[in-house]
Amino acid sequence: MANPHHALGKAIDEFSKAAWEYTSTHSPKTSFNVGRIGGGTSVNSIPFESWMEVDMRAIDPKNLDEIEIVFKESVEKAIKEYNESGIRDEVTYELIKIGDRPSGELPATLPLIQRAMAATQHFGVKPSLGRGSTNINIPVAQGIPAICIGRGGQGGGAHSLHEWFLNDEPGDESIQLALLITLSQAGLAK
């Protein structure tokens, strides 16, 4: 009988291979992760459903659209091959978008970014610009100036069971930095 878990495993494998090939040949950075899977009711019964949650991120909106196409084509290919493998019955699938964090980029010359860098230097820290997936993605994608500032400290193992953070720097300076940037943006500090 058709087993949705077996089909899901095939879809994950197909997508992983195609996505690795895509991300290794396209710039700027594009990433993907199958973060959750589930379904079934017991170890000795064929599950009535399987599901997965997939996260795809890219700095360039074009790359995000393209990795989504890679995902959809991979799932379609895997399910078609599974259903044609000689199993009895067949599995179907439904794709549901559970979130959308658009991407974009602002120029380093933007006054807000320049003020944030100056405020960072005020605390004796050399500012550095980076890219990432944060809560500023939505305003940035809409052309609204937004920044994400560092919080100090050290960390590692991001997005894993072993993620860690050590607040070994004065936490109050992060709050002061945010306030100085806000006052500077409002024209109340120079």
Side-chain angles (χ1 to χ4, degrees), residues 7-25:
L8 180 64
K10 189 169 185 58
I12 292 170
D13 182 55
E14 184 67 37
F15 174 59
S16 294
K17 289 176 185 172
W20 275 116
E21 184 177 324
Y22 177 87
T23 59
S24 67
T25 59

Side-chain angles (χ1 to χ4, degrees), residues 97-157:
K97 187 176 275 195
I98 59 173
D100 188 11
R101 182 177 279 179
S103 57
E105 192 166 16
L106 298 172
T109 57
L110 192 71
L112 172 61
I113 294 173
Q114 291 296 307
R115 288 179 183 117
M117 291 174 59
T120 301
Q121 288 175 329
H122 175 77
F123 289 95
V125 176
K126 182 179 179 189
S128 63
L129 299 177
R131 297 171 169 158
S133 182
T134 68
N135 291 335
I136 70 163
N137 285 57
I138 291 172
V140 168
Q142 295 176 354
I144 299 169
I147 59 169
C148 179
I149 59 174
R151 69 211 167 278
Q154 299 177 48

Side-chain angles (χ1 to χ4, degrees), residues 14-188:
E14 184 67 37
F15 174 59
S16 294
K17 289 176 185 172
W20 275 116
E21 184 177 324
Y22 177 87
T23 59
S24 67
T25 59
H26 287 77
S27 185
K29 185 179 178 182
T30 302
S31 64
F32 67 94
N33 181 56
V34 179
R36 290 181 19 128
I37 59 175
T41 55
S42 72
V43 70
N44 65 344
S45 63
I46 296 171
F48 64 91
E49 72 172 352
S50 296
W51 54 266
M52 68 175 160
E53 292 181 356
V54 181
D55 181 45
M56 295 173 276
R57 299 179 188 204
I59 292 169
D60 185 335
K62 178 179 167 275
N63 288 20
L64 190 56
D65 292 340
E66 289 175 359
I67 193 79
E68 185 176 351
I69 290 168
V70 168
F71 173 70
K72 289 176 178 178
E73 289 175 350
S74 297
V75 171
E76 175 66 29
K77 178 182 177 188
I79 298 303
K80 184 175 188 267
E81 286 179 7
Y82 180 78
N83 284 335
E84 293 174 351
S85 69
I87 50 107
R88 196 168 27 141
D89 297 324
E90 66 176 28
V91 296
T92 60
Y93 70 94
E94 177 183 17
L95 300 177
I96 302 169
K97 187 176 275 195
I98 59 173
D100 188 11
R101 182 177 279 179
S103 57
E105 192 166 16
L106 298 172
T109 57
L110 192 71
L112 172 61
I113 294 173
Q114 291 296 307
R115 288 179 183 117
M117 291 174 59
T120 301
Q121 288 175 329
H122 175 77
F123 289 95
V125 176
K126 182 179 179 189
S128 63
L129 299 177
R131 297 171 169 158
S133 182
T134 68
N135 291 335
I136 70 163
N137 285 57
I138 291 172
V140 168
Q142 295 176 354
I144 299 169
I147 59 169
C148 179
I149 59 174
R151 69 211 167 278
Q154 299 177 48
H159 305 291
S160 76
L161 184 59
H162 304 290
E163 183 171 359
W164 60 275
F165 176 74
L166 176 61
N167 188 15
D168 64 350
E169 297 184 28
D172 62 324
E173 284 189 3
S174 295
I175 296 168
Q176 292 172 28
L177 173 62
L179 179 60
L180 184 56
I181 294 169
T182 302
L183 293 173
S184 176
Q185 190 67 6
L188 300 173

